[in-house]
Short mmCIF file of all heavy atoms in Angstrom, two decimals:
data_model
loop_
_atom_site.label_atom_id
_atom_site.label_comp_id
_atom_site.label_asym_id
_atom_site.label_seq_id
_atom_site.Cartn_x
_atom_site.Cartn_y
_atom_site.Cartn_z
N MET B 1 -8.81 66.06 222.03
CA MET B 1 -9.28 67.05 221.07
C MET B 1 -10.16 68.06 221.81
O MET B 1 -11.11 67.68 222.48
CB MET B 1 -10.10 66.34 219.99
CG MET B 1 -10.47 67.21 218.82
SD MET B 1 -9.23 67.40 217.54
CE MET B 1 -9.07 65.76 216.93
N ALA B 2 -9.81 69.31 221.70
CA ALA B 2 -10.59 70.38 222.34
C ALA B 2 -11.52 71.00 221.30
O ALA B 2 -11.18 71.08 220.12
CB ALA B 2 -9.66 71.44 222.89
N THR B 3 -12.69 71.40 221.74
CA THR B 3 -13.62 72.06 220.83
C THR B 3 -13.79 73.52 221.23
O THR B 3 -13.71 73.88 222.40
CB THR B 3 -14.99 71.36 220.80
OG1 THR B 3 -15.51 71.33 222.13
CG2 THR B 3 -14.89 69.96 220.24
N ILE B 4 -14.02 74.34 220.21
CA ILE B 4 -14.32 75.75 220.43
C ILE B 4 -15.79 75.91 220.10
O ILE B 4 -16.24 75.51 219.03
CB ILE B 4 -13.45 76.65 219.53
CG1 ILE B 4 -11.98 76.46 219.88
CG2 ILE B 4 -13.87 78.11 219.68
CD1 ILE B 4 -11.03 77.17 218.95
N VAL B 5 -16.54 76.46 221.04
CA VAL B 5 -17.98 76.59 220.86
C VAL B 5 -18.39 78.06 220.79
O VAL B 5 -17.69 78.94 221.29
CB VAL B 5 -18.77 75.88 221.99
CG1 VAL B 5 -18.48 74.39 222.00
CG2 VAL B 5 -18.48 76.49 223.33
N SER B 6 -19.53 78.29 220.15
CA SER B 6 -20.05 79.65 220.04
C SER B 6 -20.65 80.09 221.38
O SER B 6 -21.43 79.35 221.97
CB SER B 6 -21.12 79.71 218.95
OG SER B 6 -21.62 81.03 218.85
N PRO B 7 -20.31 81.30 221.83
CA PRO B 7 -20.89 81.78 223.07
C PRO B 7 -22.27 82.42 222.88
O PRO B 7 -22.96 82.69 223.84
CB PRO B 7 -19.87 82.83 223.54
CG PRO B 7 -19.28 83.35 222.27
CD PRO B 7 -19.27 82.17 221.31
N LEU B 8 -22.64 82.68 221.62
CA LEU B 8 -23.89 83.37 221.35
C LEU B 8 -24.43 82.99 219.97
O LEU B 8 -23.70 82.40 219.16
CB LEU B 8 -23.68 84.89 221.43
CG LEU B 8 -22.83 85.56 220.36
CD1 LEU B 8 -23.06 87.06 220.41
CD2 LEU B 8 -21.37 85.29 220.56
N PRO B 9 -25.70 83.31 219.71
CA PRO B 9 -26.25 83.02 218.39
C PRO B 9 -25.81 84.07 217.38
O PRO B 9 -25.51 85.20 217.74
CB PRO B 9 -27.76 83.10 218.62
CG PRO B 9 -27.91 84.11 219.70
CD PRO B 9 -26.70 83.91 220.60
N GLY B 10 -25.77 83.68 216.11
CA GLY B 10 -25.43 84.64 215.06
C GLY B 10 -24.89 83.93 213.84
O GLY B 10 -25.07 82.74 213.65
N VAL B 11 -24.21 84.71 213.00
CA VAL B 11 -23.63 84.20 211.76
C VAL B 11 -22.12 84.10 211.95
O VAL B 11 -21.48 85.07 212.38
CB VAL B 11 -23.96 85.12 210.56
CG1 VAL B 11 -23.34 84.58 209.28
CG2 VAL B 11 -25.47 85.27 210.41
N PHE B 12 -21.56 82.93 211.62
CA PHE B 12 -20.12 82.71 211.79
C PHE B 12 -19.36 83.10 210.53
O PHE B 12 -19.77 82.77 209.41
CB PHE B 12 -19.83 81.24 212.10
CG PHE B 12 -18.36 80.94 212.19
CD1 PHE B 12 -17.63 81.37 213.27
CD2 PHE B 12 -17.72 80.24 211.19
CE1 PHE B 12 -16.26 81.11 213.36
CE2 PHE B 12 -16.36 79.96 211.27
CZ PHE B 12 -15.63 80.40 212.35
N TYR B 13 -18.27 83.83 210.72
CA TYR B 13 -17.39 84.21 209.61
C TYR B 13 -15.96 83.82 209.96
O TYR B 13 -15.49 84.06 211.07
CB TYR B 13 -17.44 85.72 209.34
CG TYR B 13 -18.79 86.19 208.90
CD1 TYR B 13 -19.63 86.87 209.77
CD2 TYR B 13 -19.24 85.97 207.59
CE1 TYR B 13 -20.87 87.30 209.37
CE2 TYR B 13 -20.48 86.40 207.19
CZ TYR B 13 -21.30 87.07 208.08
OH TYR B 13 -22.54 87.49 207.67
N ARG B 14 -15.27 83.23 208.98
CA ARG B 14 -13.86 82.87 209.17
C ARG B 14 -12.92 84.01 208.82
O ARG B 14 -11.74 83.97 209.13
CB ARG B 14 -13.51 81.66 208.29
CG ARG B 14 -14.17 80.37 208.78
CD ARG B 14 -13.78 79.19 207.94
NE ARG B 14 -12.33 79.06 207.86
CZ ARG B 14 -11.70 78.28 207.00
NH1 ARG B 14 -12.37 77.53 206.16
NH2 ARG B 14 -10.38 78.21 206.99
N LYS B 15 -13.44 85.06 208.15
CA LYS B 15 -12.63 86.18 207.69
C LYS B 15 -13.08 87.47 208.36
O LYS B 15 -14.24 87.62 208.69
CB LYS B 15 -12.78 86.35 206.18
CG LYS B 15 -12.44 85.13 205.36
CD LYS B 15 -12.77 85.38 203.90
CE LYS B 15 -12.63 84.12 203.09
NZ LYS B 15 -13.04 84.34 201.71
N PRO B 16 -12.15 88.42 208.52
CA PRO B 16 -12.52 89.70 209.12
C PRO B 16 -13.36 90.58 208.20
O PRO B 16 -13.99 91.53 208.64
CB PRO B 16 -11.18 90.36 209.45
CG PRO B 16 -10.20 89.71 208.55
CD PRO B 16 -10.72 88.32 208.28
N GLY B 17 -13.38 90.27 206.91
CA GLY B 17 -14.17 91.04 205.95
C GLY B 17 -14.03 90.45 204.56
O GLY B 17 -13.16 89.61 204.32
N PRO B 18 -14.91 90.88 203.64
CA PRO B 18 -14.84 90.37 202.26
C PRO B 18 -13.47 90.62 201.63
O PRO B 18 -12.90 91.69 201.79
CB PRO B 18 -15.93 91.16 201.53
CG PRO B 18 -16.83 91.66 202.61
CD PRO B 18 -15.97 91.84 203.82
N GLY B 19 -12.95 89.61 200.95
CA GLY B 19 -11.67 89.75 200.26
C GLY B 19 -10.45 89.67 201.18
O GLY B 19 -9.33 89.82 200.72
N LYS B 20 -10.67 89.45 202.47
CA LYS B 20 -9.54 89.34 203.40
C LYS B 20 -9.26 87.87 203.68
O LYS B 20 -10.14 87.03 203.56
CB LYS B 20 -9.87 90.07 204.70
CG LYS B 20 -10.22 91.51 204.46
CD LYS B 20 -9.73 92.36 205.57
CE LYS B 20 -10.02 93.80 205.14
NZ LYS B 20 -9.69 94.77 206.08
N PRO B 21 -8.03 87.54 204.06
CA PRO B 21 -7.70 86.13 204.35
C PRO B 21 -8.37 85.68 205.65
O PRO B 21 -8.68 86.50 206.53
CB PRO B 21 -6.18 86.14 204.49
CG PRO B 21 -5.82 87.54 204.83
CD PRO B 21 -6.87 88.42 204.19
N PRO B 22 -8.61 84.37 205.79
CA PRO B 22 -9.21 83.84 207.02
C PRO B 22 -8.32 84.10 208.24
O PRO B 22 -7.10 84.21 208.11
CB PRO B 22 -9.34 82.34 206.76
CG PRO B 22 -9.09 82.14 205.31
CD PRO B 22 -8.35 83.33 204.81
N PHE B 23 -8.96 84.17 209.40
CA PHE B 23 -8.20 84.30 210.65
C PHE B 23 -7.29 83.09 210.84
O PHE B 23 -6.17 83.21 211.31
CB PHE B 23 -9.16 84.36 211.86
CG PHE B 23 -9.92 85.65 211.96
CD1 PHE B 23 -11.26 85.70 211.62
CD2 PHE B 23 -9.31 86.81 212.41
CE1 PHE B 23 -11.99 86.88 211.74
CE2 PHE B 23 -10.02 88.00 212.53
CZ PHE B 23 -11.37 88.03 212.19
N ALA B 24 -7.79 81.90 210.48
CA ALA B 24 -7.02 80.65 210.64
C ALA B 24 -7.54 79.63 209.65
O ALA B 24 -8.71 79.67 209.24
CB ALA B 24 -7.15 80.13 212.06
N ASN B 25 -6.66 78.70 209.27
CA ASN B 25 -7.02 77.61 208.36
C ASN B 25 -6.77 76.27 209.04
O ASN B 25 -5.95 76.17 209.95
CB ASN B 25 -6.19 77.70 207.07
CG ASN B 25 -6.55 78.89 206.23
OD1 ASN B 25 -7.69 79.04 205.82
ND2 ASN B 25 -5.57 79.76 205.98
N GLU B 26 -7.45 75.25 208.55
CA GLU B 26 -7.23 73.90 209.04
C GLU B 26 -5.76 73.55 208.84
O GLU B 26 -5.18 73.87 207.81
CB GLU B 26 -8.16 72.93 208.32
CG GLU B 26 -9.61 73.16 208.71
CD GLU B 26 -10.61 72.53 207.78
OE1 GLU B 26 -10.24 72.12 206.67
OE2 GLU B 26 -11.79 72.48 208.17
N GLY B 27 -5.15 72.97 209.86
CA GLY B 27 -3.74 72.62 209.82
C GLY B 27 -2.84 73.68 210.43
O GLY B 27 -1.66 73.42 210.69
N ASP B 28 -3.37 74.88 210.69
CA ASP B 28 -2.57 75.95 211.30
C ASP B 28 -2.28 75.64 212.77
O ASP B 28 -3.10 75.01 213.45
CB ASP B 28 -3.31 77.29 211.24
CG ASP B 28 -3.32 77.92 209.85
OD1 ASP B 28 -2.71 77.36 208.92
OD2 ASP B 28 -3.96 78.98 209.71
N THR B 29 -1.14 76.13 213.24
CA THR B 29 -0.83 76.09 214.67
C THR B 29 -1.55 77.26 215.32
O THR B 29 -1.44 78.40 214.88
CB THR B 29 0.69 76.20 214.90
OG1 THR B 29 1.32 75.09 214.26
CG2 THR B 29 1.02 76.21 216.38
N ILE B 30 -2.30 76.96 216.38
CA ILE B 30 -3.12 77.95 217.06
C ILE B 30 -2.56 78.19 218.46
O ILE B 30 -2.20 77.24 219.16
CB ILE B 30 -4.58 77.46 217.16
CG1 ILE B 30 -5.15 77.15 215.77
CG2 ILE B 30 -5.46 78.47 217.91
CD1 ILE B 30 -5.25 78.33 214.84
N GLU B 31 -2.50 79.44 218.85
CA GLU B 31 -2.05 79.82 220.19
C GLU B 31 -3.25 80.13 221.07
O GLU B 31 -4.33 80.47 220.57
CB GLU B 31 -1.14 81.06 220.11
CG GLU B 31 0.09 80.89 219.25
CD GLU B 31 1.05 79.84 219.76
OE1 GLU B 31 1.13 79.65 220.99
OE2 GLU B 31 1.72 79.19 218.94
N VAL B 32 -3.06 80.05 222.38
CA VAL B 32 -4.11 80.44 223.33
C VAL B 32 -4.46 81.91 223.08
O VAL B 32 -3.58 82.75 222.96
CB VAL B 32 -3.65 80.23 224.78
CG1 VAL B 32 -4.66 80.80 225.76
CG2 VAL B 32 -3.42 78.75 225.06
N GLY B 33 -5.75 82.19 222.96
CA GLY B 33 -6.20 83.57 222.74
C GLY B 33 -6.27 83.99 221.29
O GLY B 33 -6.72 85.09 220.99
N GLN B 34 -5.83 83.13 220.38
CA GLN B 34 -5.84 83.47 218.96
C GLN B 34 -7.27 83.45 218.43
O GLN B 34 -8.05 82.55 218.71
CB GLN B 34 -4.98 82.49 218.17
CG GLN B 34 -4.91 82.81 216.69
CD GLN B 34 -3.93 81.90 215.96
OE1 GLN B 34 -3.05 81.31 216.55
NE2 GLN B 34 -4.12 81.80 214.65
N THR B 35 -7.62 84.46 217.63
CA THR B 35 -8.93 84.54 217.01
C THR B 35 -8.98 83.58 215.83
O THR B 35 -8.08 83.57 214.98
CB THR B 35 -9.21 85.98 216.53
OG1 THR B 35 -9.19 86.85 217.67
CG2 THR B 35 -10.57 86.08 215.83
N ILE B 36 -10.04 82.76 215.78
CA ILE B 36 -10.20 81.85 214.64
C ILE B 36 -11.41 82.23 213.78
O ILE B 36 -11.60 81.68 212.71
CB ILE B 36 -10.34 80.38 215.11
CG1 ILE B 36 -11.60 80.18 215.94
CG2 ILE B 36 -9.10 79.92 215.86
CD1 ILE B 36 -12.12 78.77 215.86
N GLY B 37 -12.21 83.16 214.26
CA GLY B 37 -13.37 83.61 213.51
C GLY B 37 -14.15 84.63 214.31
O GLY B 37 -13.74 85.04 215.39
N ILE B 38 -15.30 85.06 213.74
CA ILE B 38 -16.17 86.01 214.42
C ILE B 38 -17.61 85.56 214.26
O ILE B 38 -17.96 84.88 213.30
CB ILE B 38 -15.99 87.45 213.89
CG1 ILE B 38 -16.13 87.51 212.37
CG2 ILE B 38 -14.69 88.06 214.34
CD1 ILE B 38 -16.07 88.90 211.78
N VAL B 39 -18.43 85.93 215.24
CA VAL B 39 -19.87 85.71 215.16
C VAL B 39 -20.52 87.08 215.16
O VAL B 39 -20.22 87.93 216.00
CB VAL B 39 -20.39 84.86 216.34
CG1 VAL B 39 -21.90 84.80 216.34
CG2 VAL B 39 -19.83 83.44 216.26
N GLU B 40 -21.42 87.28 214.19
CA GLU B 40 -22.10 88.56 214.04
C GLU B 40 -23.57 88.40 214.38
O GLU B 40 -24.22 87.48 213.90
CB GLU B 40 -21.95 89.07 212.60
CG GLU B 40 -22.57 90.43 212.36
CD GLU B 40 -23.89 90.37 211.63
OE1 GLU B 40 -24.09 89.47 210.79
OE2 GLU B 40 -24.73 91.23 211.90
N ILE B 41 -24.05 89.28 215.23
CA ILE B 41 -25.47 89.33 215.54
C ILE B 41 -25.86 90.81 215.63
O ILE B 41 -25.25 91.57 216.37
CB ILE B 41 -25.82 88.56 216.84
CG1 ILE B 41 -27.31 88.60 217.10
CG2 ILE B 41 -25.04 89.04 218.01
CD1 ILE B 41 -27.80 87.67 218.17
N MET B 42 -26.81 91.19 214.82
CA MET B 42 -27.32 92.57 214.78
C MET B 42 -26.18 93.58 214.64
O MET B 42 -26.12 94.58 215.37
CB MET B 42 -28.17 92.84 216.01
CG MET B 42 -29.41 91.97 216.06
SD MET B 42 -30.40 92.15 217.56
CE MET B 42 -30.78 93.88 217.51
N LYS B 43 -25.28 93.33 213.71
CA LYS B 43 -24.14 94.21 213.40
C LYS B 43 -23.12 94.33 214.53
O LYS B 43 -22.25 95.19 214.50
CB LYS B 43 -24.61 95.61 212.97
CG LYS B 43 -25.52 95.59 211.77
CD LYS B 43 -24.80 95.06 210.55
CE LYS B 43 -25.74 94.99 209.36
NZ LYS B 43 -25.28 94.08 208.35
N GLN B 44 -23.21 93.45 215.53
CA GLN B 44 -22.20 93.38 216.59
C GLN B 44 -21.33 92.16 216.31
O GLN B 44 -21.85 91.07 216.10
CB GLN B 44 -22.86 93.25 217.96
CG GLN B 44 -23.68 94.45 218.37
CD GLN B 44 -22.81 95.65 218.69
OE1 GLN B 44 -21.73 95.53 219.25
NE2 GLN B 44 -23.30 96.83 218.34
N PHE B 45 -20.03 92.36 216.31
CA PHE B 45 -19.10 91.28 215.99
C PHE B 45 -18.35 90.84 217.24
O PHE B 45 -17.77 91.66 217.95
CB PHE B 45 -18.11 91.73 214.91
CG PHE B 45 -18.78 92.03 213.61
CD1 PHE B 45 -19.27 93.30 213.33
CD2 PHE B 45 -18.95 91.03 212.66
CE1 PHE B 45 -19.90 93.58 212.12
CE2 PHE B 45 -19.58 91.29 211.45
CZ PHE B 45 -20.06 92.57 211.19
N THR B 46 -18.37 89.53 217.51
CA THR B 46 -17.68 88.96 218.66
C THR B 46 -16.60 88.02 218.16
O THR B 46 -16.89 87.10 217.39
CB THR B 46 -18.68 88.19 219.55
OG1 THR B 46 -19.69 89.09 220.00
CG2 THR B 46 -17.97 87.57 220.75
N GLU B 47 -15.36 88.27 218.57
CA GLU B 47 -14.27 87.39 218.17
C GLU B 47 -14.40 86.05 218.89
O GLU B 47 -14.71 86.00 220.07
CB GLU B 47 -12.91 88.01 218.51
CG GLU B 47 -12.56 89.21 217.67
CD GLU B 47 -11.16 89.72 217.93
OE1 GLU B 47 -10.50 89.24 218.89
OE2 GLU B 47 -10.72 90.60 217.19
N ILE B 48 -14.14 84.98 218.14
CA ILE B 48 -14.12 83.64 218.70
C ILE B 48 -12.65 83.26 218.84
O ILE B 48 -11.93 83.18 217.84
CB ILE B 48 -14.86 82.63 217.80
CG1 ILE B 48 -16.29 83.09 217.53
CG2 ILE B 48 -14.82 81.25 218.43
CD1 ILE B 48 -17.14 83.29 218.77
N GLN B 49 -12.22 83.08 220.09
CA GLN B 49 -10.81 82.82 220.37
C GLN B 49 -10.62 81.42 220.95
O GLN B 49 -11.51 80.90 221.61
CB GLN B 49 -10.27 83.87 221.33
CG GLN B 49 -10.35 85.27 220.77
CD GLN B 49 -9.90 86.32 221.76
OE1 GLN B 49 -9.93 86.11 222.96
NE2 GLN B 49 -9.48 87.46 221.24
N SER B 50 -9.45 80.87 220.68
CA SER B 50 -9.11 79.56 221.21
C SER B 50 -8.65 79.69 222.65
O SER B 50 -7.90 80.61 222.99
CB SER B 50 -8.00 78.93 220.37
OG SER B 50 -7.62 77.69 220.92
N ASP B 51 -9.09 78.76 223.49
CA ASP B 51 -8.60 78.75 224.87
C ASP B 51 -7.55 77.66 225.08
O ASP B 51 -7.13 77.41 226.20
CB ASP B 51 -9.75 78.60 225.86
CG ASP B 51 -10.62 77.39 225.59
OD1 ASP B 51 -10.38 76.67 224.60
OD2 ASP B 51 -11.55 77.15 226.38
N VAL B 52 -7.13 77.02 223.96
CA VAL B 52 -6.06 76.02 224.01
C VAL B 52 -5.07 76.26 222.87
O VAL B 52 -5.40 76.92 221.89
CB VAL B 52 -6.61 74.57 223.91
CG1 VAL B 52 -7.52 74.25 225.08
CG2 VAL B 52 -7.32 74.34 222.60
N ALA B 53 -3.87 75.72 223.02
CA ALA B 53 -2.87 75.78 221.96
C ALA B 53 -2.81 74.42 221.28
O ALA B 53 -3.01 73.38 221.92
CB ALA B 53 -1.50 76.13 222.54
N GLY B 54 -2.57 74.41 219.98
CA GLY B 54 -2.47 73.16 219.24
C GLY B 54 -2.66 73.37 217.76
O GLY B 54 -2.39 74.46 217.24
N THR B 55 -3.13 72.34 217.07
CA THR B 55 -3.33 72.38 215.63
C THR B 55 -4.82 72.40 215.32
O THR B 55 -5.57 71.58 215.84
CB THR B 55 -2.69 71.14 214.96
OG1 THR B 55 -1.31 71.12 215.29
CG2 THR B 55 -2.85 71.19 213.45
N LEU B 56 -5.23 73.35 214.49
CA LEU B 56 -6.64 73.44 214.08
C LEU B 56 -6.94 72.27 213.16
O LEU B 56 -6.41 72.18 212.06
CB LEU B 56 -6.89 74.77 213.38
CG LEU B 56 -8.30 75.03 212.86
CD1 LEU B 56 -9.33 74.93 213.97
CD2 LEU B 56 -8.38 76.39 212.21
N GLU B 57 -7.73 71.33 213.66
CA GLU B 57 -8.04 70.11 212.91
C GLU B 57 -9.12 70.34 211.85
O GLU B 57 -8.97 69.96 210.71
CB GLU B 57 -8.48 69.00 213.86
CG GLU B 57 -7.36 68.44 214.69
CD GLU B 57 -6.34 67.68 213.86
OE1 GLU B 57 -6.72 66.79 213.10
OE2 GLU B 57 -5.14 68.00 213.97
N PHE B 58 -10.25 70.94 212.27
CA PHE B 58 -11.33 71.19 211.31
C PHE B 58 -12.31 72.21 211.86
O PHE B 58 -12.39 72.44 213.06
CB PHE B 58 -12.07 69.90 210.96
CG PHE B 58 -12.73 69.22 212.14
CD1 PHE B 58 -14.01 69.55 212.55
CD2 PHE B 58 -12.05 68.22 212.83
CE1 PHE B 58 -14.59 68.92 213.63
CE2 PHE B 58 -12.64 67.58 213.92
CZ PHE B 58 -13.92 67.94 214.32
N PHE B 59 -13.04 72.82 210.92
CA PHE B 59 -14.17 73.69 211.26
C PHE B 59 -15.43 72.86 211.14
O PHE B 59 -15.61 72.12 210.18
CB PHE B 59 -14.25 74.89 210.31
CG PHE B 59 -13.27 75.98 210.63
CD1 PHE B 59 -12.06 76.06 209.97
CD2 PHE B 59 -13.57 76.93 211.59
CE1 PHE B 59 -11.16 77.07 210.26
CE2 PHE B 59 -12.68 77.94 211.89
CZ PHE B 59 -11.47 78.01 211.22
N GLU B 60 -16.31 72.98 212.11
CA GLU B 60 -17.58 72.27 212.11
C GLU B 60 -18.65 73.06 211.34
O GLU B 60 -19.63 72.49 210.88
CB GLU B 60 -18.04 72.05 213.56
CG GLU B 60 -19.21 71.13 213.74
CD GLU B 60 -18.88 69.67 213.50
OE1 GLU B 60 -17.74 69.25 213.74
OE2 GLU B 60 -19.80 68.96 213.05
N VAL B 61 -18.44 74.37 211.21
CA VAL B 61 -19.38 75.23 210.49
C VAL B 61 -18.65 75.93 209.35
O VAL B 61 -17.44 76.12 209.40
CB VAL B 61 -20.05 76.27 211.42
CG1 VAL B 61 -20.95 75.59 212.43
CG2 VAL B 61 -19.03 77.12 212.13
N ASN B 62 -19.41 76.32 208.35
CA ASN B 62 -18.85 76.99 207.18
C ASN B 62 -19.06 78.50 207.28
O ASN B 62 -19.87 78.98 208.07
CB ASN B 62 -19.53 76.48 205.90
CG ASN B 62 -19.23 75.03 205.64
OD1 ASN B 62 -18.08 74.61 205.67
ND2 ASN B 62 -20.27 74.25 205.39
N GLU B 63 -18.34 79.22 206.46
CA GLU B 63 -18.49 80.67 206.34
C GLU B 63 -19.95 81.01 206.10
O GLU B 63 -20.58 80.47 205.19
CB GLU B 63 -17.62 81.15 205.17
CG GLU B 63 -17.68 82.62 204.89
CD GLU B 63 -16.74 83.44 205.75
OE1 GLU B 63 -15.96 82.87 206.53
OE2 GLU B 63 -16.80 84.66 205.64
N GLY B 64 -20.51 81.88 206.93
CA GLY B 64 -21.89 82.32 206.74
C GLY B 64 -22.95 81.44 207.37
O GLY B 64 -24.14 81.74 207.27
N ASP B 65 -22.55 80.36 208.05
CA ASP B 65 -23.51 79.48 208.72
C ASP B 65 -24.04 80.14 210.00
O ASP B 65 -23.30 80.85 210.69
CB ASP B 65 -22.87 78.14 209.11
CG ASP B 65 -22.74 77.16 207.96
OD1 ASP B 65 -23.19 77.48 206.83
OD2 ASP B 65 -22.16 76.08 208.18
N MET B 66 -25.29 79.84 210.31
CA MET B 66 -25.87 80.27 211.58
C MET B 66 -25.34 79.35 212.69
O MET B 66 -25.21 78.15 212.49
CB MET B 66 -27.39 80.17 211.54
CG MET B 66 -28.06 81.20 210.65
SD MET B 66 -27.87 82.89 211.24
CE MET B 66 -28.65 82.81 212.84
N VAL B 67 -25.05 79.95 213.84
CA VAL B 67 -24.64 79.17 215.01
C VAL B 67 -25.50 79.59 216.20
O VAL B 67 -26.04 80.69 216.23
CB VAL B 67 -23.14 79.37 215.36
CG1 VAL B 67 -22.25 78.79 214.29
CG2 VAL B 67 -22.81 80.83 215.60
N ASN B 68 -25.62 78.68 217.14
CA ASN B 68 -26.34 78.92 218.38
C ASN B 68 -25.37 78.75 219.54
O ASN B 68 -24.32 78.11 219.40
CB ASN B 68 -27.50 77.94 218.52
CG ASN B 68 -28.59 78.23 217.52
OD1 ASN B 68 -29.14 79.33 217.48
ND2 ASN B 68 -28.89 77.26 216.68
N PRO B 69 -25.70 79.30 220.72
CA PRO B 69 -24.81 79.11 221.87
C PRO B 69 -24.55 77.63 222.13
O PRO B 69 -25.48 76.82 222.12
CB PRO B 69 -25.61 79.73 223.03
CG PRO B 69 -26.52 80.71 222.37
CD PRO B 69 -26.87 80.10 221.04
N GLY B 70 -23.28 77.28 222.29
CA GLY B 70 -22.90 75.90 222.54
C GLY B 70 -22.60 75.08 221.31
O GLY B 70 -22.07 73.97 221.41
N ASP B 71 -22.92 75.61 220.11
CA ASP B 71 -22.59 74.89 218.87
C ASP B 71 -21.08 74.83 218.71
O ASP B 71 -20.37 75.83 218.93
CB ASP B 71 -23.17 75.59 217.64
CG ASP B 71 -24.67 75.39 217.48
OD1 ASP B 71 -25.26 74.64 218.28
OD2 ASP B 71 -25.23 75.98 216.54
N THR B 72 -20.57 73.67 218.30
CA THR B 72 -19.14 73.53 218.04
C THR B 72 -18.77 74.27 216.77
O THR B 72 -19.40 74.07 215.72
CB THR B 72 -18.75 72.05 217.93
OG1 THR B 72 -19.03 71.40 219.17
CG2 THR B 72 -17.27 71.89 217.60
N ILE B 73 -17.75 75.11 216.85
CA ILE B 73 -17.27 75.86 215.69
C ILE B 73 -16.06 75.16 215.08
O ILE B 73 -15.96 75.02 213.87
CB ILE B 73 -16.91 77.31 216.08
CG1 ILE B 73 -18.23 78.06 216.37
CG2 ILE B 73 -16.10 78.00 214.99
CD1 ILE B 73 -18.03 79.47 216.86
N ALA B 74 -15.14 74.71 215.93
CA ALA B 74 -13.91 74.10 215.43
C ALA B 74 -13.35 73.14 216.47
O ALA B 74 -13.73 73.18 217.64
CB ALA B 74 -12.87 75.17 215.10
N ALA B 75 -12.43 72.29 216.01
CA ALA B 75 -11.74 71.36 216.89
C ALA B 75 -10.24 71.59 216.79
O ALA B 75 -9.71 71.77 215.69
CB ALA B 75 -12.08 69.92 216.54
N ILE B 76 -9.58 71.55 217.93
CA ILE B 76 -8.13 71.74 218.00
C ILE B 76 -7.50 70.56 218.71
O ILE B 76 -7.94 70.16 219.79
CB ILE B 76 -7.79 73.06 218.73
CG1 ILE B 76 -8.31 74.23 217.91
CG2 ILE B 76 -6.29 73.17 218.99
CD1 ILE B 76 -8.08 75.58 218.51
N ARG B 77 -6.48 70.00 218.05
CA ARG B 77 -5.70 68.93 218.67
C ARG B 77 -4.63 69.60 219.52
O ARG B 77 -3.75 70.29 219.00
CB ARG B 77 -5.07 68.03 217.62
CG ARG B 77 -4.28 66.86 218.22
CD ARG B 77 -3.83 65.84 217.18
NE ARG B 77 -3.57 66.33 215.86
CZ ARG B 77 -2.41 66.83 215.42
NH1 ARG B 77 -1.38 66.91 216.23
NH2 ARG B 77 -2.29 67.23 214.18
N GLU B 78 -4.73 69.42 220.82
CA GLU B 78 -3.80 70.09 221.73
C GLU B 78 -2.39 69.53 221.62
O GLU B 78 -2.21 68.35 221.34
CB GLU B 78 -4.30 69.98 223.17
CG GLU B 78 -5.62 70.68 223.40
CD GLU B 78 -6.09 70.57 224.82
OE1 GLU B 78 -5.52 71.24 225.69
OE2 GLU B 78 -7.05 69.79 225.03
N GLY B 79 -1.44 70.43 221.87
CA GLY B 79 -0.06 69.97 221.88
C GLY B 79 0.86 70.80 221.02
O GLY B 79 0.56 71.63 220.29
#
C-alpha cells in the first residue's frame, strides 16, 4: 500500500471548486501523475498527484481538513 502525503501545510480539497466533481473517489483506478486533490495555502493551490498507479483505497483526510507536511492524504493499492 502506497501513501500520498502532503508536501506543505494548508487546507485539503478533493474538488477543484464548489459544485464540481471530486478529482478522484475511493475505488477509482489512479494513474501515475493523476491529481487526487489540492492543498490551498494563502490562496495558492498546489495539486496533489499520485506517484504510483493502482486503486485509491481511502482518503485519510476529509474535504476542508488542515494538513501539515508529511501528513498522509490517501492510500493507493498498487497494481
Side-chain angles (χ1 to χ4, degrees):
M1 189 84 64
T3 57
I4 298 173
V5 298
S6 180
L8 69 165
V11 180
F12 176 73
Y13 296 104
R14 290 182 54 193
K15 303 174 188 176
K20 303 216 175 177
F23 289 105
N25 291 301
E26 292 164 346
D28 285 357
T29 299
I30 303 297
E31 301 297 328
V32 172
Q34 182 174 339
T35 299
I36 64 153
I38 52 176
V39 172
E40 183 256 328
I41 182 169
M42 297 175 58
K43 302 296 178 201
Q44 295 290 323
F45 295 89
T46 300
E47 290 186 352
I48 305 302
Q49 299 176 337
S50 177
D51 54 358
V52 298
T55 302
L56 179 56
E57 288 293 308
F58 61 87
F59 281 96
E60 190 72 30
V61 293
N62 295 310
E63 178 85 4
D65 281 357
M66 289 294 299
V67 293
N68 290 302
D71 285 356
T72 298
I73 289 176
I76 295 179
R77 182 171 30 88
E78 296 180 74

